[in-house]
Amino acid sequence: MREGVTVAGHRLTGRTRLSEIGTWADAVSPDGRPSGVLRFDPQAVASPQARERLVAAAGADIRLQGGGPIGLLPVIDLVAARDEVWLITARATPAVADLTAGGALDAGGAATVLLEAAQTLLAVHAAGLAHGALHPGTIVIGEDGSVLLAERGLLRALRGEHAPAEQDVAAWAALAGTLAANCARGHAAAVLQWAASAAVGQGLASVRDALIAERAAFPGMGRDGLAHAARGFHAPPSSVPSSVPSSGPSSGPPPVASSGGEAVTLLDLPDAVDDPGDVMMRFGPGVPTETTAAQIWRSGQTSAAITTTQQAGVAAPRRPRRRRAAWAGTLLLAILIAVVILWLRQTSAAPLAVSDVDVKAPKKTVRCDGRADFVGVVTTNGEAGSIRYVWIRSDDREPIEQEQRISPGDTSVNLPLHWKVAGSGSFKGTATLRVLSPTTTGKPIQDKASFTYKC
């Protein structure tokens, strides 16, 4: 795609990168702001049905944006220029794939990407939608360090496929594993690997909160580092395509669309939406409310989060907005300001600590070739973290140190021990649960109980 060519008034700068569905190009909007244009693979948009599905997907994103910033790459328009179809958005570079390939994404940046991507997916799923193609090439970083999901619903729209929310969760888990392997070391890598393995079973909300609780493992967590990396990516302009993986869309001949009126919008959104559910809000019934930790993360790490769409350097679509959307934006601003004030007033969360251990043994005698089931009840202060402990058996079996992750809000945790006994005779066994750390006294805490075996 040639530098200087314009699409609907957006002048291409020459920097491009490939996507599964076409080619992205950096551009400059008519008022001089950075923007991005995605030229779809001509074969993929050849049928009227594919174009109709694209219109529906882009229109859904614009309605989502009507309730305020949601973490999606802002869509400006979808236009047809001669035989080609272009999506016009906020600037769509750099992608996480670009930063990872260039070694510009550290552990703190990786954790930030995962946190914000998880929150955006939760909001998208609550609206009854899904992304359908989440990977490092479809997550981009705004100039303020915000994490924005690009190409939401587009690949599935072109293929006429349904994208379930479960597929997004699995893709997020794969992303966590990739970032753990390429961007983190030591404890930080272990936490990200745990998030990758736990996401499908425990859900994005639970894993998101656990990552926030482990923020001490990620120095530099927040948008500042990502903003610096994004500025570094844009510093030396280049016309060489980035190394984002692609399924091989045809590059085709260079586009010849101009700002002289050849590009025609394909979007015809109504001025008002009759169904209130058509507009996604960041609050209210039916929407997964953020926990206090998540609100602190989103509002406390950056003061510019509430103006992402306007400050990202993109002219918003010139369509009438309902008063309800404006009122919702005002209320959202008030809520975020209140959260910031509360966050500034409160002290940092206390670390996880164990205050008590209570071991319970079987009351009945264990008979021939039976099993004694012990339960160690551990009382904590409700913070998130990991407990290190060992079970010590009186039969001199070598104890093995173990670790149990604790989710925020859990003040009581059960640690089981299953002791099998075989053979004839009588036997009294004692099991001791010793919590090594963390404890309120700084020293190990333990308790024990016994059972009787007869055969």
Side-chain angles (χ1 to χ4, degrees):
M1 292 189 289
R2 293 198 308 268
E3 181 178 357
V5 170
T6 61
V7 177
H10 293 256
R11 178 176 55 82
L12 307 189
T13 65
R15 187 198 299 271
T16 63
R17 65 181 179 90
L18 297 179
S19 166
E20 293 176 286
I21 55 179
T23 303
W24 281 100
D26 279 5
V28 179
S29 68
D31 57 0
R33 299 180 181 182
S35 60
V37 292
L38 169 61
R39 174 181 178 257
F40 290 98
D41 179 0
Q43 294 181 352
V45 295
S47 71
Q49 295 80 7
R51 294 193 180 198
E52 289 175 1
R53 293 192 296 267
L54 277 184
V55 169
D61 277 12
I62 290 178
R63 283 189 290 272
L64 286 172
Q65 294 165 204
I70 193 175
L72 296 176
L73 180 68
V75 172
I76 299 174
D77 209 344
L78 181 69
V79 302
R82 298 185 178 179
D83 295 331
E84 297 176 333
V85 178
W86 300 74
L87 182 74
I88 303 178
T89 69
R91 182 155 61 184
T93 52
V96 169
D98 296 318
L99 300 183
T100 303
L105 194 64
D106 59 12
T112 305
V113 167
L114 291 171
L115 281 169
E116 297 208 15
Q119 184 59 32
T120 299
L121 288 176
L122 288 169
V124 168
H125 295 167
L129 301 172
H131 188 285
L134 185 76
H135 55 72
T138 58
I139 306 175
V140 301
I141 307 302
E143 292 180 320
D144 64 346
S146 56
V147 178
L148 304 172
L149 306 190
E151 302 182 23
R152 189 216 64 79
L154 300 183
L155 177 63
R156 301 301 169 182
L158 290 175
R159 295 179 177 177
E161 299 173 348
H162 170 69
E166 293 77 11
Q167 185 181 70
D168 286 349
V169 178
W172 187 96
L175 173 67
T178 298
L179 296 182
N182 292 281
C183 307
R185 298 290 183 272
H187 182 55
V191 173
L192 296 186
Q193 287 287 5
W194 169 85
S197 62
V200 175
Q202 298 188 20
L204 288 179
S206 176
V207 175
R208 172 203 63 191
D209 290 347
L211 283 178
I212 294 173
E214 290 280 359
R215 56 188 175 272
F218 302 98
M221 177 188 282
R223 291 183 173 179
D224 290 344
L226 289 178
H228 178 75
R231 287 192 295 269
F233 179 85
H234 287 295
S238 171
S239 59
V240 180
S242 73
S243 57
V244 177
S246 170
S247 60
S250 171
S251 59
V256 293
S258 70
S259 58
E262 295 182 9
V264 179
T265 182
L266 298 179
L267 298 180
D268 185 21
L269 296 180
D271 293 345
V273 181
D274 294 331
D275 183 3
D278 286 346
V279 178
M280 175 64 183
M281 304 296 179
R282 293 305 299 259
F283 50 87
V287 176
T289 56
E290 295 177 303
T291 62
T292 301
Q295 289 175 335
I296 290 172
W297 160 257
R298 184 169 290 278
S299 60
Q301 291 292 335
T302 173
S303 60
I306 57 178
T307 55
T308 301
T309 302
Q310 289 74 19
Q311 294 183 1
V314 180
R318 294 190 177 95
R319 295 185 178 90
R321 297 292 187 187
R322 295 178 300 163
R323 290 185 179 180
R324 189 189 332 183
W327 172 85
T330 302
L331 182 55
L332 175 63
L333 174 60
I335 291 174
L336 289 180
I337 291 175
V339 170
V340 172
I341 293 174
L342 289 175
W343 175 69
L344 291 174
R345 288 182 176 179
Q346 68 180 12
T347 58
S348 59
L352 172 69
V354 174
S355 58
D356 187 48
V357 177
D358 181 23
V359 175
K360 299 179 181 179
K363 294 182 179 179
K364 296 183 179 180
T365 299
V366 178
R367 296 300 177 180
C368 298
D369 300 331
R371 187 180 75 177
D373 295 322
F374 289 81
V375 176
V377 181
V378 177
T379 303
T380 77
N381 59 353
E383 299 297 334
S386 297
I387 294 176
R388 293 174 49 247
Y389 68 95
V390 292
W391 276 105
I392 303 172
R393 292 168 35 164
S394 59
D395 60 352
D396 296 328
R397 174 171 293 191
E398 183 70 21
I400 300 176
E401 183 177 320
Q402 302 180 67
E403 185 172 319
Q404 175 69 39
R405 289 193 59 83
I406 309 299
S407 299
D410 292 341
T411 57
S412 181
V413 182
N414 293 338
L415 302 178
L417 170 67
H418 305 297
W419 187 340
K420 293 183 179 180
V421 185
S424 60
S426 298
F427 174 77
K428 181 179 180 181
T430 301
T432 302
L433 174 60
R434 179 176 299 166
V435 174
L436 304 177
S437 69
T439 63
T440 54
T441 62
K443 299 179 180 180
I445 299 178
Q446 67 182 42
D447 188 36
K448 61 183 178 180
S450 302
F451 74 99
T452 301
Y453 173 82
K454 290 184 179 182
C455 182

